[in-house]
Amino acid sequence: MYFSIRYYAGSHARMIVPKAYEKEFQSVDSLSFGKKSCMVRCLTHRENDNRILISSAAKEQLQLPDHRMAMCHITADKARLTVPFGVFTAGFQIEGQLLGPRTKYFEGFSTTGQELGYQAVFFGCQHLSTLPAYISGYVYDRQVWRKIESPLPEIIYNRITNRKTENHPKVSQALRTLREKSRVFNPGFFNKATILKYVMESNETDHLLPQTIFNPSKQMLSDMLQKNAVYIKPAHGSRGEGLMRVKQNEDGSLDVLEADASHPHHFENIHSYFQAYFPEGSSGYLVQPRIYLLKIDGKPLDFRVHSNKDETGTWKVTLIGVRVGNENQPTTHHIHGGTIKVLEEIFSEVRTRQIKQRLTDTALMVSKEIDQHFDNQLGELGLDIAIDEDEGIWLFEVNSKPGFFLFDHPALAEQMNEYFSYSYRYGQYLMDREAD
């Protein structure tokens, strides 16, 4: 049963329910939200609506958020409130796992929410046809996925899977509708060029970027290649897609290694390379010099750092993983053969502590800088950070909807529950902020 929740000033723990539901609530003497509960006196009101009025005393004991809608579950003399928390995504499967390989992560996400008093409702653009009355969607409860009907959640977490899906007209229209009716956080996938410009234009963060040229001409690329090998990447790419490492040989020829290739392509000169890859120009690409990364057993490594906002809207570093690649790949991403480790597997205790502090300071500085441009729409970030052979620290990329692949490492999987709690805590912050 869904109810509209309102609060009133009262020094006693009480809930006042519609007279029409008197029979269902007549034995209730306790109310719970997440892991907290309190004894309550249950009264009725005669208004012809579905409001439940909760006293400020009960609200404080249960630490209820200022959401205006909740589901009430009654078992004997106990009532339990759960607040719907929307997760807008795509890729629902008719057979097998409901959300494909992401299902295991979203089951963990749902379980975390239930412990905090939230019910995650997963839905896509195809589930909005019944608005404004309600939406359909899926919940994970008692280890089973169920399809339900729900009012539109007041807070919605955007977890659309990829850029192509997010740019689909139906998905774009759905996001516009959701933003008009609810609070949506995580606005969309980043344009690398835009984010890097934000970082470059800040005195606080500009030192973290290697030389970066957008839309490089043949001459610009030629000048850079005379000094060092370079990386060329698309502004709209992710997961290493479209990434190339380009090296110039003494005779002027080029070796180009793509992220998904086992061997480099050879070109006689820069002109033949440009003709093959950029016949209409290099608009939408950027180039940076190669950074010679720290190595372990001859293999290059960099770091994936996750930052999230908490219930006060403050950025926190929530997860740090090490990505170990190989010399024959231009990226350390796990999709292209990289492996995930934790700091403690590679470095000494003292060195781990030093690196963790540097990564934390860098990630928080960048998160705060980028956040200024998005008006509280960001709730999480995934930052790819590297340390070079000379101990210089570099920012490679910032992701607006980081994947959950780090949880495939057993040590990091133990942090999953705490990590997922931040989305709910930030959702509560947004709702409380709206109420103010």
Side-chain angles (χ1 to χ4, degrees), residues 293-296 299-303 322-324 332 346-347:
L293 306 177
L294 282 181
K295 291 184 177 181
I296 178 71
K299 297 179 179 180
L301 59 87
D302 61 15
F303 308 92
V322 185
R323 304 189 304 185
V324 181
T332 59
I346 298 174
F347 303 104

Side-chain angles (χ1 to χ4, degrees), residues 51 57 92 136 162 292 311 354 391 406:
R51 285 183 302 162
F92 292 88
S136 58
N162 55 60
Y292 290 89
E311 63 276 10
Q354 293 172 341
E391 293 298 310
L406 290 184

Side-chain angles (χ1 to χ4, degrees), residues 150-390:
S150 165
L152 184 66
E154 296 172 80
I155 296 295
I156 296 171
Y157 176 34
N158 177 8
R159 285 301 302 193
I160 289 295
T161 49
N162 55 60
R163 295 171 191 272
K164 182 178 179 180
T165 301
E166 191 168 78
N167 291 329
H168 190 283
K170 289 184 178 179
V171 175
S172 298
Q173 178 58 52
L175 278 169
R176 286 192 293 271
T177 299
L178 294 174
R179 291 187 183 111
E180 291 171 0
K181 299 178 180 297
S182 297
R183 293 296 300 269
V184 180
F185 69 94
N186 283 17
F189 286 95
F190 287 154
N191 177 300
K192 283 190 183 73
T194 301
I195 297 302
L196 292 180
K197 284 177 182 177
Y198 291 153
V199 176
M200 291 170 64
E201 291 168 1
S202 167
N203 292 331
E204 298 291 324
T205 57
D206 60 345
H207 65 282
L208 297 171
L209 290 181
Q211 179 189 8
T212 303
I213 296 177
F214 303 100
N215 310 320
S217 67
K218 276 190 286 188
Q219 187 59 53
M220 291 174 179
L221 182 58
S222 178
D223 291 344
M224 291 186 72
L225 284 170
Q226 290 179 21
K227 303 172 186 176
N228 196 356
V230 301
Y231 279 92
I232 299 178
K233 60 184 82 170
H236 292 283
S238 60
R239 300 186 299 180
E241 296 170 354
L243 180 70
M244 293 176 276
R245 186 170 69 206
V246 183
K247 174 188 174 185
Q248 183 170 275
N249 302 310
E250 291 185 3
D251 61 359
S253 64
L254 302 183
D255 288 326
V256 179
L257 183 62
E258 296 181 83
D260 56 355
S262 56
H263 301 286
H265 299 290
H266 187 77
F267 294 89
E268 290 186 3
N269 51 51
I270 195 169
H271 303 290
S272 58
Y273 165 63
F274 249 72
Q275 185 61 39
Y277 282 89
F278 310 114
E280 298 180 4
S282 59
S283 177
Y285 282 78
L286 60 92
V287 59
Q288 296 173 323
R290 180 181 181 181
I291 302 297
Y292 290 89
L293 306 177
L294 282 181
K295 291 184 177 181
I296 178 71
D297 298 329
K299 297 179 179 180
L301 59 87
D302 61 15
F303 308 92
R304 165 56 68 91
V305 183
H306 286 232
S307 61
N308 294 69
K309 283 184 183 170
D310 66 10
E311 63 276 10
T312 68
T314 303
W315 286 103
K316 304 287 186 182
V317 166
T318 52
L319 208 61
I320 297 176
V322 185
R323 304 189 304 185
V324 181
N326 63 71
E327 197 63 32
N328 297 322
Q329 276 291 329
T331 174
T332 59
H333 203 288
H334 71 289
I335 289 178
H336 302 289
T339 56
I340 305 300
K341 293 186 178 295
V342 293
L343 292 167
E344 292 80 1
E345 289 181 275
I346 298 174
F347 303 104
S348 69
E349 182 178 348
V350 172
R351 182 75 164 131
T352 292
R353 191 162 54 246
Q354 293 172 341
I355 291 176
K356 186 176 292 186
Q357 189 62 57
R358 293 187 73 189
L359 294 175
T360 297
D361 292 344
T362 300
L364 291 178
M365 182 165 48
V366 173
S367 299
K368 292 172 185 176
E369 178 59 40
I370 292 174
D371 193 38
Q372 297 180 47
H373 302 275
F374 287 92
D375 188 30
N376 278 306
Q377 295 182 69
L378 300 178
E380 63 182 347
L381 293 171
L383 302 97
D384 294 337
I385 301 174
I387 297 176
D388 66 25
E389 295 173 336
D390 298 318

Side-chain angles (χ1 to χ4, degrees), residues 41-60:
R41 184 181 176 190
C42 193
L43 307 172
T44 62
H45 65 74
R46 294 185 178 276
E47 298 296 326
N48 187 26
D49 57 31
N50 72 331
R51 285 183 302 162
I52 288 181
L53 307 175
I54 297 176
S55 67
S56 55
K59 180 178 188 286
E60 183 176 346

